[in-house]
Each structure stands twice: as C-alpha cells, then as structure tokens.
Amino acid sequence: MGAGDYGKNSAPKAAVDDAGQASLVWSESGGTRAATRSPGGTWTAAATLAPQSSSSVDTAIDGAGNAIAVFGSSYSWHLAGGSWGPATPLPAGSSGGLVVADPAGTFVYADSSGNAFTFAAGATSFGAGSGSRGSLDDLKIVPGQAVMLAAGAMSAESVT
C-alpha cells in the first residue's frame, strides 16, 4: 500500500498489536476499505467493507490478531487467519465513534454520543451499553479499564 492510495473522505486509521500485526481502515469515494498486515510486514490487498464512503472510520486489533473496523453505522470483523467479514449494523442509534482493544481480546466501542459497549472478538451483538455520556472526544483501554473522554469529562469502566 503506497502513500496516496486513499481519498480524503476520512483520515485512515491504523491499529498495531505487540507482535507487529496491523489493521488499517479508510474511506474513499469508491467505498470503505480495510487491510491487515502480518507480523512480518506483508499487507493484504485492500478489502471493500462497504460500497459507500464514510466520514468516520476506526479500527482496533488484539494480541491474537483479531481486528475490527467501525465505519458509519456498521462494523466488520477480521478474525485471525481469516478475511474481513460482511458489514454488520452497529447497535441501534449508534454511528461513528471509536474502538479499542487490549492484548487479551477485550474490545470496547464507544459511539459518537459516548455510549460504550464491551465485547469479545467476533461478537455478533454488543449488549446494552453504558448509556450516553455526551459528545465523544477520546477512548483508550488499559488493563481492566476503558477510559473515555466525553462532553469534557473523563470516565472509566471496568472491562473483562
């Protein structure tokens, strides 16, 4: 993948795990795309996750190489050793937002209104969520905690 291989519908987002595996997602006029990189540094061909572009994309990868891409009001999994799955709707009312993962395989998605969901790799549903905390600014994960900055206030939630 070379410089300039993407349009400017959204800034590309990348995630890297401790082994050097990576996930990259971006949006361009021809759709939303993603690629992964092996620990040896080889990128896969770009996969089309959706035929439309999205102004909001994000990705996360865990220590096993499981990756998720979040784009618009959809998400897609790339489970270790597989390929990108179909676009699946995010929880009702969710769009945009950020996603993070820890090395042990805990993923946290927070939508643009600061409603956070915790789940494991390959999950097909996200559960009830934490409730809206206001406009999402940032999301990080540390061992056992998801830390969110929303509406100018920081909150932390236990994750398992």
Side-chain angles (χ1 to χ4, degrees), residues 28-129:
E28 58 191 23
S29 58
T32 301
R33 313 227 189 279
T36 57
R37 187 185 80 171
S38 70
T42 303
W43 284 98
T44 62
T48 300
L49 303 180
Q52 67 277 359
S53 64
S54 175
S55 61
S56 174
V57 299
D58 202 18
T59 189
I61 191 167
D62 69 9
N66 299 306
I68 189 171
V70 175
F71 46 97
S73 58
S74 300
Y75 69 97
S76 177
W77 283 108
H78 182 283
L79 298 179
S83 58
W84 287 99
T88 304
L90 286 165
S94 293
S95 66
L98 301 171
V99 64
V100 293
D102 68 11
T106 300
F107 287 79
V108 177
Y109 163 68
D111 66 19
S112 58
S113 70
N115 189 10
F117 303 85
T118 302
F119 49 95
T124 57
S125 67
F126 292 170

